[in-house]
């Protein structure tokens, strides 16, 4: 069977391709270029004359040459801008904290990428995600620290029917060991971090290429006193405690809210400040991977966040309310992903955050 695998230039997709090749699939690599630093007015994205994505392509080509499999290249720059980056900017303007990697999976990797792979004759699609598929269910990857089902929560359930996740049953250390044993050229390549199109670049400097932040007051939410100046609400997220811009305060402090109309950033002092805590959330744009609709489950409000026991109330086809004992810094715009033990049930976007039945006025 012909398997077309998304090659990112990293170790996970490289080992995935290697494992599929060992299993005697007819393996073809396909590299997606989703971002162009020249086109997208991003001079900071080019280092020593090479865009990071161009370096990733070079690395993917080395891996495919090493394995003796072909590598195709396709540009989804326009599709990525229209479906992912424009969404990212719109959410920032609203004072929310979007997760573009989730939308990249929904609109690019498991939509236009799959269509291109099918056009090339693919029977199956593969990616280097740490996730598993068993009996039609999407399960967490066995490596709890690398499980990536959170990022797959907006993908249509039908899209998983012809997908393989070759490293989902492995830990990251096992993947690295396989890469070294197979002498893959990217065996020691560092993992990419942060938002996909930003990578290692400074977030605030990158965002200023596209959104011009307006300075405003930072207010201590407990005292209502002005304690600093922020440089644009889009540069901060709920729960953030580093680089907030408050000097002379030794007590630990966190971003706890935003008022977009008044251009105010609210900060709460102390790890257990009441303004950081919530007990309910309204989740919109629900996408169901499973046919099961439990009333008791667990959820994650952020990637690598803890599993929080929740009671679920189904408000309509696309909205639910999750109720929990307490959670800290639940953030509008981020994903809420529902699990029944190992199985991912589905996920949506955090619309509102409540405490004891009342919407939090500062979010």
């Amino acid at each position: 069977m012909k398997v077309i695998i998304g090659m990112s230039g990293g170790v996970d997709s490289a080992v995935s391709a290697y494992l599929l090749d060992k299993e005697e699939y007819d393996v073809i690599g396909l590299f997606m270029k989703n971002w162009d630093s020249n086109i997208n007015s991003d001079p900071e994205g080019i280092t020593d004359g090479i865009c990071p994505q161009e370096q990733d392509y070079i690395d993917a080509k080395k891996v495919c040459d090493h394995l003796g499999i072909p590598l195709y290249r396709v540009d989804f720059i326009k599709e990525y801008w229209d479906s992912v980056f424009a969404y990212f900017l719109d959410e920032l303007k609203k004072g929310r904290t979007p997760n573009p990697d989730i939308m990249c999976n929904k609109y690019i990797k498991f939509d236009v990428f799959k269509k291109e792979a099918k056009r090339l004759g693919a029977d199956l699609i593969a990616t280097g995600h740490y996730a598993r598929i068993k009996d039609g269910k999407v399960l967490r990857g066995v490596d709890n620290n690398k499980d990536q089902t959170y990022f797959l929560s907006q993908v249509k359930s039908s899209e998983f029917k012809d997908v393989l996740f070759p490293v989902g049953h492995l830990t990251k250390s096992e993947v690295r060991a396989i890469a070294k044993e197979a002498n893959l050229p990217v065996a020691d390549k560092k993992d990419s971090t942060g938002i996909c199109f930003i990578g290692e670049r400074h977030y605030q400097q990158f965002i200023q290429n596209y959104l011009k932040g307006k300075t405003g007051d930072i207010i201590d939410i407990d005292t209502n006193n002005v304690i600093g100046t922020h440089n644009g609400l889009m540069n901060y997220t709920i729960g953030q405690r580093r680089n907030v811009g408050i000097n002379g305060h030794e007590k630990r402090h966190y971003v706890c809210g935003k008022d977009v109309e008044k251009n105010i950033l609210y900060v709460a002092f102390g790890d257990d400040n009441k303004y950081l805590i919530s007990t309910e959330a309204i989740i919109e744009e629900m996408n169901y991977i499973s046919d099961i609709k439990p009333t008791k489950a667990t959820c994650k409000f952020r990637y690598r966040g803890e599993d929080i026991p929740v009671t679920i109330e189904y408000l309509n086809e696309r909205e639910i309310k999750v109720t929990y004992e307490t959670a800290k810094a639940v953030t509008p715009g981020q994903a809420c992903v529902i699990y029944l033990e190992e199985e991912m049930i589905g996920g949506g976007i955090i619309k509102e955050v409540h405490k004891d039945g009342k919407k939090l006025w500062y979010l």
Side-chain angles (χ1 to χ4, degrees):
M1 297 185 77
K2 182 181 288 187
V3 180
I4 292 187
I5 178 167
M7 297 296 293
S8 67
V11 68
D12 299 326
S13 61
V15 169
S16 296
Y18 167 75
L19 293 174
L20 292 170
D21 190 52
K22 274 188 68 177
E23 292 180 28
E24 299 187 352
Y25 285 102
D26 178 11
V27 183
I28 295 173
L30 186 58
F31 179 86
M32 294 177 289
K33 184 174 183 181
N34 298 332
W35 189 260
D36 190 314
S37 294
N38 294 307
I39 292 175
N40 293 331
S41 303
D42 183 15
E44 189 188 357
I46 300 175
T47 305
D48 298 329
I50 300 178
C51 169
Q53 271 208 57
E54 196 61 32
Q55 184 60 56
D56 288 340
Y57 171 73
I58 292 169
D59 292 339
K61 186 71 168 63
K62 287 178 182 177
V63 169
C64 289
D65 288 346
H66 179 79
L67 296 175
I69 64 175
L71 177 67
Y72 294 93
R73 174 175 175 151
V74 61
D75 285 0
F76 292 135
I77 294 168
K78 182 181 184 303
E79 293 86 346
Y80 190 90
W81 182 280
D82 292 344
S83 298
V84 181
F85 193 63
Y87 160 83
F88 174 74
L89 295 179
D90 286 345
E91 288 287 276
L92 290 180
K93 290 174 187 175
K94 296 174 186 174
R96 289 163 46 116
T97 303
N99 195 312
D101 291 344
I102 288 176
M103 296 305 164
C104 179
N105 281 320
K106 178 179 181 178
Y107 292 113
I108 307 299
K109 293 179 183 175
F110 290 88
D111 187 355
V112 292
F113 171 87
K114 282 194 69 179
K115 289 173 182 173
E116 178 66 15
K118 293 293 185 180
R119 190 186 69 79
L120 293 170
D123 299 302
L124 297 167
I125 312 298
T127 74
H129 285 95
Y130 285 83
R132 295 174 292 153
I133 298 176
K134 184 177 180 181
D135 300 327
K137 300 176 180 179
V138 178
L139 307 179
R140 305 183 203 237
V142 298
D143 189 333
N144 288 332
N145 193 47
K146 294 298 293 183
D147 167 52
Q148 291 174 310
T149 52
Y150 182 90
F151 297 112
L152 301 174
S153 57
Q154 282 289 313
V155 176
K156 294 178 183 177
S157 60
S158 58
E159 298 296 344
F160 292 107
K161 292 178 181 176
D162 52 2
V163 169
L164 302 175
F165 296 125
V167 298
H169 66 291
L170 299 170
T171 64
K172 185 70 180 196
S173 59
E174 289 172 330
V175 168
R176 288 281 183 194
I178 291 170
K180 289 180 180 179
E181 184 180 343
N183 293 316
L184 296 180
V186 294
D188 295 314
K189 185 175 179 179
K190 192 170 131 183
D191 286 349
S192 59
T193 58
I195 297 172
C196 48
F197 48 78
I198 297 178
E200 304 297 328
R201 285 167 277 172
H202 188 280
Y203 175 83
Q204 293 189 12
Q205 291 176 2
F206 173 85
I207 292 300
Q208 285 172 4
N209 290 318
Y210 307 94
L211 295 177
K212 300 305 176 186
K214 181 181 177 183
T215 59
D217 290 336
I218 300 176
I219 290 181
D220 179 345
I221 198 167
D222 284 300
T223 65
N224 205 35
N225 291 330
V226 176
I227 55 174
T229 302
H230 68 76
N231 60 358
L233 293 178
M234 76 281 192
N235 293 314
Y236 306 87
T237 187
I238 306 304
Q240 179 178 335
R241 68 180 180 88
R242 293 187 177 91
N243 303 317
V244 177
I246 303 172
N247 298 319
H249 291 272
E250 295 182 2
K251 193 173 183 180
R252 197 189 297 251
H253 51 274
Y254 300 84
V255 172
C256 69
K258 301 177 183 180
D259 186 325
V260 176
E261 289 186 8
K262 296 180 180 178
N263 196 30
I264 292 171
L265 186 73
Y266 290 103
V267 168
F269 285 82
D271 291 336
D272 299 316
N273 191 293
K274 65 181 181 180
Y275 289 102
L276 293 167
I277 304 300
S278 64
T279 59
E280 298 172 352
I282 304 297
I283 313 302
E284 62 182 350
E285 298 178 34
M286 278 298 299
N287 175 62
Y288 296 99
I289 309 297
S290 171
D291 293 331
I292 303 170
K293 289 191 176 180
T295 56
K296 299 284 186 181
T298 62
C299 81
K300 284 184 180 291
F301 286 122
R302 61 187 66 212
Y303 178 53
R304 289 183 179 160
E306 62 179 320
D307 278 76
I308 297 175
V310 291
T311 299
I312 303 171
E313 179 182 349
Y314 295 88
L315 304 179
N316 56 54
E317 287 186 5
R318 299 299 306 278
E319 283 194 354
I320 64 173
K321 179 169 78 170
V322 292
T323 304
Y324 40 93
E325 189 172 338
T326 60
K328 183 177 176 181
V330 177
T331 307
Q334 286 284 286
C336 170
V337 183
I338 308 295
Y339 295 90
L340 266 182
E341 297 182 350
E342 293 298 295
E343 182 181 2
M344 178 175 63
I345 301 301
I349 307 300
I350 300 166
K351 177 183 179 182
E352 295 179 3
V353 184
H354 298 185
K355 185 176 181 181
D356 301 328
K358 295 181 180 180
K359 184 180 181 296
L360 299 183
W361 61 267
Y362 47 90
L363 284 175

